[in-house]
Amino acid sequence: MGKTSDIARARRLYRTVLTIRRAEEALAVLLAEGLIPGFIHLSIGQEAVAAGVMDALTPVDTVTSTHRGHGHAIAKGMGLDAFFAELLGRDSGACRGRGGSMHVADISRGMLGANGIVAAGMPIALGSALAHQILGRDAVAVAIFGDGAMAEGLLHECLNLARLWNLPVLFVCENNGWGEFLPTDRQIVFSLDKLAAAHGIAHVAVDGNDVAAVASKAAEVVAGVRKGGGPAILECHTTRVGGHYEGDPQRGRDPADRAANAARDPLIRARAALTEPDAAKIEAEVTAEIAAAVAFARAAPPPKWEDAAASVYTI
Amino acid sequence: MGKTSDIARARRLYRTVLTIRRAEEALAVLLAEGLIPGFIHLSIGQEAVAAGVMDALTPVDTVTSTHRGHGHAIAKGMGLDAFFAELLGRDSGACRGRGGSMHVADISRGMLGANGIVAAGMPIALGSALAHQILGRDAVAVAIFGDGAMAEGLLHECLNLARLWNLPVLFVCENNGWGEFLPTDRQIVFSLDKLAAAHGIAHVAVDGNDVAAVASKAAEVVAGVRKGGGPAILECHTTRVGGHYEGDPQRGRDPADRAANAARDPLIRARAALTEPDAAKIEAEVTAEIAAAVAFARAAPPPKWEDAAASVYTI
Amino acid sequence: MTELRYNHAVNRAMADAMAADPTVVLFGEDVAGAGGVYGATRGLRDKFGADRVRDTPISEAAIVGMAVGAALSGLKPIVEISFIDFMTFAMDAVVNQAAKMRTMFGAQCSVPMVLRTQHGGGAGSGPQHSQCLEAWFAHVPGLKVVCPADPASAYGLLRAAIVDPDPVIVIEHKALYATRVPEPDSLPILPIGKAAVLRPGRDLTIVSYGAALRAVSDAAATLAKEGIETEILDLRSIQPWDEAAVLASLARTHRLMIVHEAVEAFGVGAEIAARMADIGFDELDAPILRVGAPFMPSPVAKALERRYMPNADNILAAARRLLA
Amino acid sequence: MTELRYNHAVNRAMADAMAADPTVVLFGEDVAGAGGVYGATRGLRDKFGADRVRDTPISEAAIVGMAVGAALSGLKPIVEISFIDFMTFAMDAVVNQAAKMRTMFGAQCSVPMVLRTQHGGGAGSGPQHSQCLEAWFAHVPGLKVVCPADPASAYGLLRAAIVDPDPVIVIEHKALYATRVPEPDSLPILPIGKAAVLRPGRDLTIVSYGAALRAVSDAAATLAKEGIETEILDLRSIQPWDEAAVLASLARTHRLMIVHEAVEAFGVGAEIAARMADIGFDELDAPILRVGAPFMPSPVAKALERRYMPNADNILAAARRLLA
Ligand SMILES: Cc1ncc(C[n+]2csc(CCOP(=O)(O)OP(=O)(O)O)c2C)c(N)n1
Ligand SMILES: Cc1ncc(C[n+]2csc(CCOP(=O)(O)OP(=O)(O)O)c2C)c(N)n1
Ligand SMILES: [Mg+2]
Ligand SMILES: [Mg+2]
C-alpha cells in the first residue's frame, strides 16, 4: 500500500473512531437529560474494533451486532441523523423509533441490527452468509459477538455449521474481559483460539485498541473469507472503559482495571498516526457533524401512534 | 484385580450385554405385534457402553440418557418387569405407562430418565452433579449423549459449566457414526478430543464394543471424577446395527457398513471372555428372565384414566 | 383414480414454489437425504440440487436463526423442524428476531421465512413428541400461523406461506400425513386468515382446525342422525384467524363450541371464545364451550392417549350441554 | 416509618427460605456478585456462601436444565433469568423436562424448582426486553405461574413457590421493584392459586394482575367519582388461577373485564374470558371485555410505549362500553 493511501486510511479510521466516541459521549448527555428511552450500552474503549473491521467491508457485506452496537452501526455507514433520532425514539430514526439503542439497523447498508439478545446475531449472520453463497454474491457476512457470548450454545452451533457449509462468514469477538457485571475469566474456561482449532477454523488475534492493526488484520481475513476460504474468527482484545450500561455503578470493578484501560485508549492511538493539523481538522468536522445530528434528533418529531400498527406485517 | 473377580466381572458384563440384547429383540417382536405405542429406538450393537459404564457406578450415582436409553435403564438396575410393562404402556410400568420407551426412568436407582429431546439430558446430569457436590455426596453424575448431539449448543454450555464449577460429572458419548438418518461426519466438523482439550477436560476414548475395555476405562475415569478431579469425557466408539428407529428402511445406508458392524458385535466379544458352560448358563437364565418379564408385561393391566390427572402435581 | 396424499401435497407445494422462485431454499434435519421424518421433502434435493436443499446438523437454534438471516439477505427459506416440541430450542430466533424485525427496524425489511413443523398426538409418541403449541406462536405479534387439515389446504396454505413476505409457521399434523383425497382438479393457493365452512348447519357452530376436525365430523354425523345440524368451520389459519366467519356462523346458529387437540387451558380456543364473548355476545343463546386436551402432559399408553385426545364422545357430550 | 420495597421483599423471601432449608440454592447470571440486575439477590452470597449462591455463565438453556437435575437430586434450586425474553433459550428445560417429569415418570418424583424472572414494559426497554410471556407457561401442564403485584405478594408467593414441590415460574415486574409499602406486621406465605379482592364493588369486576393493577386502580378511582363501584381482583396466580373467586365476583357484579399488560390476543385474559363465557354465562349482563397490549411488538419510543401499554384511558373506555 502506498504512502498516500496509508495516510488516507489513517485519517478515515481516526474519523470513524472519533465519530463513535463523540456520538456516545453525546448519548451520555442525552440520557442524563432523560431524552433516551431505556438503558444504553456504550462502547467507549472498543471503537477501534468497529472502525477497523468495517473498513474491510463493502456496502453489500452484511453485519450482525450485539447489545453494544452503536459503533458497528455508525462504522457500517448509518447516517448520524438517523442514528441519533433512533436513539431518541423519533420518527425519523433509522427504525422510526421502534427499536432504539439495542436495535439500530440499516438494512440497505448491510447493517442487520444490533441485538438485545446475547449471541442471537450469530446465526443471523450465518443465514446472511448462506444467502451470499447461494445467490453467488461477492460478499461476506460478519457476526460480531462479545466474549460473554462464548458461553451461549449458539456460538458453537454456528461455528460447526459455518465450517460444515464453508460459509463466507467472519466471526468477530470483541473480547473486553467482561460479560455484563462479571469478568469473563469467571465465566468461560476455554479460549477462542483452541476452540477454533478444534473446528478447523482460522483464528487471528489482534490488539483491538489499535485501529490500524484491526483494519489490516480484518482486511486480510475478510479477503480470505471472500475468496471462498470458509469461515474465520477475528478475536479483538479490547477494553470496556465504562460499566455494562451507562450509569452502572460498577460495584465489583477494580479501579486499577479502569486505569489500565485508559492507557490503551484507541482514540489516542488512532490520533497518533496523524499530523496535528490533520487530526484537528477531523476533530472540528466530527464535532460539527455530531452537533448537527444531535440538533436534528432533538428537533425531530416523535412517531405517531396511528402509524405504529401498520408496520407489523408487510402490506 | 484377582482372577476370581475378573471372571465374576466378565460374567456380570456378559449378563448385562445379553440382557439388553435379548430385551430389545423381544421389543422388536412386541412392536410387530402392535403392543408398543409409538416408535422405539433400539441400541443393538451399542450394549457394551451401557453395560461397561454402569458397571463403574454405585446406586447413588445418577445417569441421564437419550432417546436410545433402554440399555442404560436396564444396566442401571431397572427391573425387567417394570421395563417391559412400561414399554407396553401398562400401569405396572416403571413410569406407570405414561412415559414409554423414550422416558424409562427409575429415580430410586439414579436413572433420571431416557429423554426424547436430543442433548436435553446433559444439563440435567450437570444439575444432579451440582446436588452431589453441594450436599457432599460421594456420587457422580453421568450424562450420556450421542454423537449427533455434538451439534447442539447445550453440549458446549454444559462442558463449560462443568469445568468452571468442577462438577463431578462424566460425559459419555456413544459415538456410533450416525445422527438420526445421516452419518455424523456430514454433521459435525470437530472431534470430541480436541473440544475437550480446548476446555481442559480429560478425554478418554475406548472401543465401545469391547465391554471389558469400557468397564475398565469407565472405572478409571469415574474414580477420578469421584475423587473431585472435575468433569471428564468418555468417548465410546460403537455401532448402531439397526436403523434410527425399529422399522427404519435405512434407505441411505451402505450395506457394507452394516456388515462391518456385525463383525464388531459386542455380544460375541463379551461371550468370548467366558467358558462355554458359563456362557450357556447365563444365557439360559437371561432367556428365562426375559420371557418371564415379557409374560408379566403382556398380562399387566393398562393404566386407568381416572388416576392419570392426579399425577400432574404433587399432592 | 389418482389420489393426493397430505405429505405429497406438502411436497408438491415446496416443489412448485421452488420451481417458480429460485430464491426459495429448504433446510432442516434430514430433509435432503432422508426426505424428512414423514417423507414430506422426499426428492426435493434431486430436483433442486444440494445447494438449495440441505441437511443440517441437529442445531435447531442455529437453523432457525439462519433462516432469519437468509430471509434478510434475499432468500425465501423454508426450514423444517421435525416436531414442534423441538421448537423449544429455537424460540429466540422465531419470537425475538423473526417476529419483531419488521416492526423494530421500522419497516425497513420483511422476513419472508417459513417454518414448517408438525404437532399432535394419536401415535403414541409420548409427552415430548405430541404437543400442540400453536397458541404460543399465535400470541406473538409479527408471526402468522396456519394449521392445514387436509391435502388441499396443506398445499394451498404452504404456497401462501412461502409467498407471504412475513414469517409464517406452518403446522402440519403427524396423523394427517398419510391421509388422502381424490386428486383435486386444481390446487389453488389459499389465503392466510380465511376459514372454510366444511359443513353447513343451523343448530350449532363448531370451530376447529387440524386433525381434531375428524372427531368433529364424526360427532356432527351422529348429531345429524338426531336431526341436529352442526355447522363446522375449519379455521385453517390460527393467526390471523377468521373472526368474521366465526361471527357470521354464530349469528346463524347462536351456539358455539371450539374443539382442538391442544391443551384446553390457555389454548387457541380461549381466544376465539373470548372474542365471541365480546363481539358475539348478543348472538349467544348458550354458554361457549370448549373441548381440548385436559391439563396434563400427553401420556404414552394407548388407553390413556385415546381418552386424552378430543374425541367424538367428548364433543357429543359438549354438544348436548350446548343444546340443552 | 419503615417501608418494604418489592425487590427487598423478593430478597427477604429467598433469605428466609435459605435460612430455613439448607437445600435451597440460588444461581443465575450476575445474581451473586452483582446481586441481580434489579438488586433482588444482593447480599445473599455473603449470607449463604459461594456454594449456595452462584453466578453462572450466560447459558440460559444449561442453567435451567441444571435446575431440573438439581431438583431431581435433592436440592431446591431457585434460578433467575433476568428477563423473561431470555426464556426463549430455556424453553426445553422448562416445558419438555421440568413440567412433564412428574407425569411422564409416573409420579416417581417431583421437580421442586423455582424459576424467577421478570416481565413487562414501561421502561423503554424495547421489543426484546419488555415482553409478557406468562400465557405460554400457563398453557403447559405441570407448571405453576405466579405474578406478584406488590411487596407482600412478592414475598408470600415466592416463599410458597420455594416450598412447593413442583416447578413454579415466579414472574416479577421490572417497573415494580422500586415500589414500596409500609412494612407489614407480618409477611405470610401466600397460597398459590388464590386471588385477592383489592377493592370491593358492585357494578363491574376487573380481573388483573401484576403492574397493570395500577392503571386498573386509577380507572376505578375515576369511576368511583361517578358513583360506579369497581370490584378489583388481583389474580396473583395465573396457573392455577382462582376461578371460584372470579366467578363469585361476576355473580355479584354481572359485568367482567380482564386487564393485563401482555398482548391481548391469545393472552391470559382469553382463558379467563373463555371460562366465564362457559361457567359464568348465566351471570353475564354484558359482553366480557379485555384490555391488553395491541398486536405489535412493544415499541421503544416513549410516545408509542405509553399508548401501547394498557392505561387508565383504555380501561375507562372499556368500562363505559361494559356499563352502557
Ligand atoms: C440471552 C441473553 N442473556 C442475557 C442477557 C443480558 N446481557 C446483556 S449483555 C450481557 C453480557 C454479554 O457479554 P458480552 O457479550 O461480553 O458483552 P459485554 O458485557 O462485554 O458488553 C448479558 C448477560 C441478554 N441480553 N441476552
Ligand atoms: C432437539 C431434538 N432435535 C431433533 C430430534 C430428533 N432426533 C431424535 S434422535 C436424533 C439423532 C441424534 O443423534 P445421536 O444422538 O447420535 O443418536 P443416534 O441416531 O446415534 O441414536 C434426532 C435428530 C430430537 N429428538 N430432539
Ligand atoms: Mg464482553
Ligand atoms: Mg449417533
Side-chain angles (χ1 to χ4, degrees), chain C residues 154-227:
Chain C
Y155 181 90
L157 292 171
L158 181 50
R159 294 256 2 221
I162 297 169
V163 296
D164 195 283
D166 296 309
V168 183
I169 322 274
V170 179
I171 305 175
E172 300 155 10
H173 194 293
K174 59 174 76 58
L176 292 177
Y177 285 117
T179 57
R180 26 184 121 223
V181 292
E183 173 77 38
D185 294 333
S186 75
L187 271 176
I189 295 189
L190 295 174
I192 293 177
K194 287 279 168 240
V197 177
L198 294 194
R199 177 186 182 119
R202 55 166 195 270
D203 298 319
L204 76 160
T205 296
I206 302 187
V207 173
S208 186
Y209 59 91
L213 280 161
R214 296 189 294 187
V216 171
S217 295
D218 292 350
T222 303
L223 289 169
K225 285 187 203 131
E226 303 171 18

Side-chain angles (χ1 to χ4, degrees), chain A residues 20 24 49 60 98 101 123 154 165 167 201 204 226 233 247 291:
Chain A
I20 299 171
E24 292 203 314
V49 179
V60 65
R98 272 69 161 163
S101 164
L154 256 180
W165 288 0
L167 293 173
I201 292 179
V204 174
R226 206 182 289 285
I233 298 177

Side-chain angles (χ1 to χ4, degrees), chain D residues 224-245:
Chain D
K225 285 189 203 126
E226 303 171 17
I228 297 162
E229 289 305 331
T230 308
E231 178 144 305
I232 304 179
L233 252 70
D234 174 4
L235 272 189
R236 288 185 177 165
S237 293
I238 306 301
Q239 182 59 270
W241 60 279
D242 197 342
E243 190 175 289

Side-chain angles (χ1 to χ4, degrees), chain C residues 85 88-89 91-92 95-97 99-100 103-104 127-128 131-132 135-136 138-143 238-239 241 262-268 270-271 273-275 277-278 281 284-290 294-297 321, chain D residues 85 88-89 91-92 95-97 99-100 103-104 127-128 131-132 135-136 138-143 238-239 241 262-268 270-271 273-275 277-278 281 284-290 294-297 321:
Chain C
D85 316 74
T88 48
F89 280 152
M91 295 300 284
D92 176 70
V95 172
N96 289 330
Q97 313 299 330
K100 299 194 179 2
T103 300
M104 83 185 169
Q128 293 175 339
Q131 292 169 91
C132 292
W136 287 2
H139 187 42
V140 178
L143 300 179
I238 306 300
Q239 181 62 265
W241 58 279
V263 167
E264 178 180 311
F266 299 87
V268 167
E271 177 63 23
R275 196 74 190 124
D278 178 352
F281 185 72
L284 288 169
D285 284 349
I288 303 174
L289 300 190
R290 291 176 292 161
F295 201 64
M296 67 169 96
R321 229 192 101 202
Chain D
D85 315 73
T88 47
F89 279 154
M91 294 302 282
D92 175 70
V95 171
N96 289 331
Q97 314 299 332
K100 300 199 180 354
T103 300
M104 83 183 166
Q128 293 176 339
Q131 292 169 93
C132 293
W136 287 2
H139 187 42
V140 178
L143 299 179
I238 306 301
Q239 182 59 270
W241 60 279
V263 167
E264 180 180 309
F266 299 87
V268 166
E271 177 64 24
R275 197 75 189 123
D278 177 352
F281 185 72
L284 287 169
D285 284 349
I288 303 174
L289 300 189
R290 290 176 294 160
F295 201 64
M296 69 169 95
R321 228 192 101 205

Side-chain angles (χ1 to χ4, degrees), chain D residues 255-282:
Chain D
R255 287 181 153 75
L256 177 63
M257 184 193 316
I258 305 117
V259 177
H260 54 57
E261 204 185 306
V263 167
E264 180 180 309
F266 299 87
V268 166
E271 177 64 24
I272 297 165
R275 197 75 189 123
M276 290 303 133
D278 177 352
I279 62 172
F281 185 72
D282 292 338

Side-chain angles (χ1 to χ4, degrees), chain A residues 34 37-39 89 97-100 102-103 115-118 148 151-152 154 180-182 187 251 303-305 308-309 312-313, chain D residues 30 34 37 42 45 55 57-60 83 86 89 123-125 127-129 294-297 299-304 307-308:
Chain A
F39 42 91
R98 272 69 161 163
M102 268 192 295
H103 306 288
N115 209 309
I117 304 295
V118 169
E152 291 283 12
L154 256 180
E180 207 172 72
F181 308 115
L182 194 70
Q187 303 187 35
R251 285 194 186 82
K304 288 210 200 61
W305 175 248
V312 176
Y313 294 123
Chain D
D30 281 318
V37 173
R42 203 164 289 157
R45 181 173 65 188
D55 283 324
I58 309 171
S59 307
E60 290 79 9
F83 287 73
F86 311 158
F89 279 154
S125 312
Q128 293 176 339
H129 286 69
F295 201 64
M296 69 169 95
V300 81
K302 286 176 190 175
L304 298 181
R307 294 284 294 269
Y308 179 82

